[in-house]
Amino acid sequence: MKLDNYTVLEFPSRSANEGFARTVAACFAAQLDPTLEEINDIKTAVSEAVTNAIVHGYPDRIGKISMKLRIKEDRVLEIIIRDWGTGIADVAQARVPMFTTGGEERSGMGFTIMESFMDNLKVRSELGKGTTVTMKRRIACRVCK
Amino acid sequence: MSIICTEENRCLTVHIQGELDHHRARELMTQLDREINCALPRKLELDLSGLTFTDSSGIALLLRTYRNVQELGGTMCVRNTPQQAKKVFWAAGLQHIIPFEGV
Ligand SMILES: Nc1ncnc2c1ncn2[C@@H]1O[C@H](COP(=O)(O)OP(=O)(O)OP(=O)(O)O)[C@@H](O)[C@H]1O
Ligand SMILES: [Mg+2]
């Protein structure tokens, strides 16, 4: 069976939307009949990316965040989270475990978690223009052999 | 997100309930600080059985709480860590820093 479906969500960078965004991602992923662990991995990765957009992308204003969810061929869920905020000067450095510009309320583990909880993580960013995080996760089929 | 505290002989037990993320972390940290500064516990037990979700905000919160308790001369342990939280904390290697019981 070839699944092909998508949805787009747009919301302001208010922290109350962190829970909303990960719930939407979990609901959308449900059509792939994921395990509880797969759902939790997806929620965690979405929470990291959306929190980054809120905390780092828009440190002193409310800006726009978009989340696109798509089911691609071979049961691959693609999640694209985008902000139009500050951007990242050095993406390679930002992805290093424990690297943070966020002080003691942050641990510098967000990208590391996205990377290890998903199959694939791509980060594109430009200073002053914003950041786009693309994550992919294949959901194993439990009924088809 | 709420916490329930019980104290006996300067052993403070804190149950953390609900979802823990950046949205909830600051308020929770304030509550925890208040409880710790008031009880000055010799031992803090964090019971996570009611924690339904955490992300990296929980990592920073645990590390900060651990440091606070140590500075006051106390010890801390974490109990009943759910699978989802365990996966997040282990990604950061917290199990090598903070004692987790029964995992
Ligand atoms: N959307 C973004 N816009 C601007 N900077 C970002 C964005 N996402 C990440 N960064 C930068 O990359 C760094 C690393 O991000 P990462 O999520 O790994 O850790 P953190 O957010 O600092 O801490 P944690 O996620 O553990 O709470 C951040 O400290 C910040 O400097
Ligand atoms: Mg982060």
Side-chain angles (χ1 to χ4, degrees):
Chain A
M1 182 181 54
K2 194 174 174 240
L3 283 164
D4 186 15
N5 198 6
Y6 73 90
T7 189
V8 181
L9 183 73
E10 193 182 293
F11 52 91
S13 59
R14 298 190 188 283
S15 61
N17 288 325
E18 291 158 7
F20 177 64
R22 60 180 181 262
T23 304
V24 169
C27 288
F28 183 81
Q31 62 197 290
L32 289 169
D33 189 28
T35 62
L36 182 61
E37 186 178 9
E38 285 166 336
I39 282 280
N40 281 335
D41 288 354
I42 290 162
K43 284 174 73 176
T44 311
V46 165
S47 200
E48 295 300 342
V50 169
T51 301
N52 278 354
I54 292 171
V55 173
H56 308 297
Y58 301 110
D60 40 30
R61 68 182 168 109
I62 299 293
K64 182 172 84 174
I65 298 173
S66 83
M67 178 170 76
K68 292 185 188 173
L69 301 157
R70 183 183 286 278
I71 290 165
K72 305 184 70 158
E73 245 170 86
D74 200 23
R75 304 173 55 83
V76 171
L77 173 69
E78 180 184 72
I79 305 172
I80 304 176
I81 291 164
R82 181 163 185 200
D83 67 69
W84 288 262
T86 56
I88 303 171
D90 183 343
V91 170
Q93 178 191 48
R95 289 179 66 156
V96 170
M98 320 273 281
F99 175 85
T100 182
T101 57
E104 72 161 5
E105 281 177 25
R106 309 258 57 94
S107 60
M109 289 303 296
F111 281 136
T112 307
I113 286 171
M114 289 179 242
E115 215 162 86
S116 65
F117 284 34
M118 302 295 272
D119 297 331
N120 190 280
L121 170 72
K122 232 173 57 190
V123 184
R124 283 183 37 212
S125 191
E126 205 181 318
L127 268 185
K129 294 243 167 90
T131 301
T132 306
V133 170
T134 304
M135 306 184 275
K136 291 197 183 101
R137 174 79 189 254
R138 187 174 175 276
I139 304 300
C141 187
R142 286 187 285 168
V143 284
C144 35
K145 64 157 251 119
Chain B
M1 182 102 262
S2 66
I3 60 174
I4 298 171
C5 304
T6 51
E7 197 211 324
E8 215 184 309
N9 289 326
R10 291 184 61 199
C11 174
L12 178 65
T13 305
V14 179
H15 289 256
I16 296 182
Q17 285 171 327
E19 302 207 335
L20 169 49
D21 59 9
H22 158 251
H23 180 60
R24 302 256 166 80
R26 191 167 296 174
E27 184 200 335
L28 182 64
M29 195 67 236
T30 309
Q31 281 180 305
L32 263 172
D33 279 351
R34 196 187 305 129
E35 294 294 338
I36 290 167
N37 289 330
C38 177
L40 298 174
R42 263 194 284 268
K43 185 166 188 201
L44 173 70
E45 293 182 359
L46 275 189
D47 189 317
L48 302 186
S49 52
L51 182 69
T52 50
F53 175 85
T54 185
D55 60 17
S56 62
S57 308
I59 299 172
L61 182 117
L62 251 59
L63 284 173
R64 225 194 103 176
T65 306
Y66 183 65
R67 264 186 241 118
N68 284 354
V69 171
Q70 278 202 323
E71 268 169 29
L72 293 168
T75 61
M76 171 177 142
C77 74
V78 184
R79 285 197 173 151
N80 298 327
T81 311
Q83 269 309 312
Q84 189 271 336
K86 180 176 166 184
K87 204 166 168 178
V88 171
F89 297 154
W90 263 232
L94 280 197
Q95 74 276 23
H96 304 303
I97 302 169
I98 299 170
F100 284 79
E101 278 178 10
V103 283

